[in-house]
């Protein structure tokens, strides 16, 4: 790739920034030795400095060096954190992963090549660390092969888990929550409309509970626009676990919408 002034400026900035975290970086050698460049970039990508990590990814893409190895190593370390690995375990994993990746650079992505790279790693580590390295290599293999989820996907799933836990707490305590007069009036009218058409009290109770959850979410959408209501419903719908409750929720959301916008049947008002 032809070098531009921007490429060189980014590389110089990277070398200066990385020095604080991984020691001296020889920018000129990075231009002529891709394996050295890849090793440096992976070390930087596994630092705890977000600015350096972002700059590392930019350099990796600009020079087309180690993109896959950086992404897979980052995903693996993130998975350790997600699974609550100790600080010492994460630190040791980074240390030996960097050494393993030095042997993985430029090889074919297949089982045979991977085993050969692992064997080369094991030749150069103390006997006391070999079991750790073997376990690391086994766990990292699927990330290297691209058979696992990206770090963004992992983060997304973790966020969803947190939201579901919070939603469960809300669901269990919804009947003890405070509602304004305006919210209560709408909820009462909705329940009355269900009784008017002969809905059993047991189902009305569940409908009211769902309507209360919707009312809480609608506090984040003050203006009574149809799109705001849809956004609120979308935010809640995926938090229900069962297909039956998801389907029932959509039914209630359609029923409750009329009351939320104030288009209340006259029979209920009389």
């Amino acid at each position: 790739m032809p070098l531009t002034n921007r490429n060189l400026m980014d590389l110089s900035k990277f070398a200066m920034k990385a020095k604080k975290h991984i020691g001296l970086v020889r920018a000129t050698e990075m231009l002529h030795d891709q394996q050295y460049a890849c090793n440096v970039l992976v070390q930087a990508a596994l630092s705890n400095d977000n600015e350096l990590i972002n700059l590392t990814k930019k350099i990796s893409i600009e020079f087309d060096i180690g993109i896959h190895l950086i992404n897979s190593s980052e995903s693996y370390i993130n998975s350790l954190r997600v699974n609550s690995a100790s600080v010492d375990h994460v630190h040791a994993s980074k240390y030996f992963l960097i050494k393993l990746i030095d042997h993985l650079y430029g090889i074919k992505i297949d089982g045979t090549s991977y085993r050969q790279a692992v064997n080369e790693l094991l030749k150069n580590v103390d006997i006391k660390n070999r079991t750790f390295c073997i376990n690391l290599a086994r766990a990292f293999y699927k990330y290297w092969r691209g058979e696992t989820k990206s770090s963004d996907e992992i983060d997304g799933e973790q966020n969803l888990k947190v939201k579901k836990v919070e939603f469960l707490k809300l669901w269990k305590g919804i009947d003890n929550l405070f509602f304004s007069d305006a919210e209560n009036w709408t909820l009462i009218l909705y329940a009355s409309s269900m009784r008017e058409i002969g809905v059993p009290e047991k189902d009305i109770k569940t409908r009211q509970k769902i309507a209360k959850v919707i009312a809480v979410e609608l506090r984040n959408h003050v203006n009574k626009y149809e799109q705001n209501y849809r956004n609120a419903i979308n935010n809640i719908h995926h938090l229900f676990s069962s297909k039956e409750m998801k389907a029932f929720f959509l039914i209630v959301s359609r029923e409750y919408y009329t009351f939320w916008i104030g288009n209340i049947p006259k029979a209920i008002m009389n």
Side-chain angles (χ1 to χ4, degrees):
M1 178 189 78
L3 293 177
T4 65
N5 288 335
R6 171 55 62 186
N7 295 148
L8 295 174
M9 287 175 62
D10 286 342
L11 185 59
S12 177
K13 182 180 178 181
F14 167 80
M16 292 177 63
K17 182 73 177 175
K19 183 178 180 181
K20 177 181 176 182
H21 299 276
I22 63 175
L24 178 65
V25 173
R26 299 184 293 276
T28 303
E29 188 170 346
M30 286 184 69
L31 293 173
H32 298 97
D33 186 341
Q34 289 199 348
Q35 185 164 4
Y36 169 76
C38 180
N39 183 274
V40 169
L41 290 170
V42 170
Q43 289 185 62
L46 295 181
S47 71
N48 293 319
D49 188 301
N50 289 330
E51 184 180 348
L52 176 58
I53 292 170
N54 291 333
L55 184 56
T56 299
K57 292 178 179 179
K58 182 180 180 182
I59 293 291
S60 173
I61 293 170
E62 282 184 5
F63 291 87
D64 192 20
I65 298 175
I67 298 172
H68 170 65
L69 292 171
I70 289 171
N71 290 339
S72 57
S73 60
E74 183 182 43
S75 293
Y76 176 68
I77 295 300
N78 283 343
S79 74
L80 294 181
R81 294 193 177 108
V82 165
N83 289 296
S84 302
S86 69
V87 174
D88 288 343
H89 185 82
V90 172
H91 181 75
S93 296
K94 285 183 180 182
Y95 178 79
F96 289 109
L97 186 57
I98 290 167
K99 290 184 175 297
L100 173 59
I101 285 175
D102 207 32
H103 296 290
L104 294 176
Y105 180 79
I107 70 173
K108 292 181 180 180
I109 299 182
D110 61 44
T112 301
S113 299
Y114 191 80
R115 283 191 294 273
Q116 291 172 349
V118 173
N119 287 337
E120 289 300 315
L121 169 70
L122 295 177
K123 289 178 183 178
N124 298 291
V125 298
D126 291 339
I127 294 176
K128 64 181 181 180
N129 294 320
R130 285 184 181 175
T131 299
F132 184 93
C133 289
I134 290 170
N135 290 333
L136 179 146
R138 286 173 178 165
F140 181 63
Y141 180 68
K142 64 181 180 180
Y143 292 83
W144 180 71
R145 287 292 300 262
E147 296 169 355
T148 188
K149 296 169 184 174
S150 68
S151 58
D152 286 342
E153 289 174 316
I154 292 171
D155 290 342
E157 289 184 354
Q158 284 302 112
N159 289 335
L160 180 59
K161 287 180 180 178
V162 171
K163 287 180 180 179
K164 284 191 173 183
V165 170
E166 292 174 349
F167 176 72
L168 185 60
K169 289 180 181 177
L170 174 65
W171 179 260
K172 289 181 176 179
I174 196 69
D175 290 330
N176 299 319
L177 211 61
F178 172 80
F179 288 91
S180 68
D181 290 341
E183 289 170 332
N184 268 325
W185 178 240
T186 305
L187 291 165
I188 290 170
L189 289 175
Y190 172 60
S192 296
S193 75
M194 294 297 103
R195 292 188 180 96
E196 285 285 330
I197 61 175
V199 175
E201 283 298 320
K202 181 180 178 182
D203 289 344
I204 290 176
K205 186 176 180 181
T206 305
R207 275 176 158 84
Q208 277 189 305
K209 200 167 184 178
I210 292 174
K212 286 180 179 180
V213 169
I214 295 173
V216 170
E217 179 62 30
L218 286 170
R219 292 172 181 172
N220 300 317
H221 306 273
V222 179
N223 295 322
K224 294 193 174 183
Y225 300 138
E226 182 179 354
Q227 188 57 51
N228 285 348
Y229 191 83
R230 287 180 180 174
N231 291 339
I233 298 308
N234 290 336
N235 288 343
I236 303 169
H237 181 245
H238 67 289
L239 298 176
F240 284 96
S241 299
S242 71
K243 291 182 180 179
E244 292 78 9
M245 280 303 295
K246 285 183 178 181
F248 193 41
F249 170 77
L250 292 178
I251 292 171
V252 174
S253 69
R254 287 192 289 269
E255 294 171 343
Y256 188 67
Y257 175 70
T258 298
F259 296 86
W260 180 67
I261 61 173
N263 187 15
I264 301 165
K266 290 182 180 179
I268 304 301
M269 295 294 292
N270 294 331

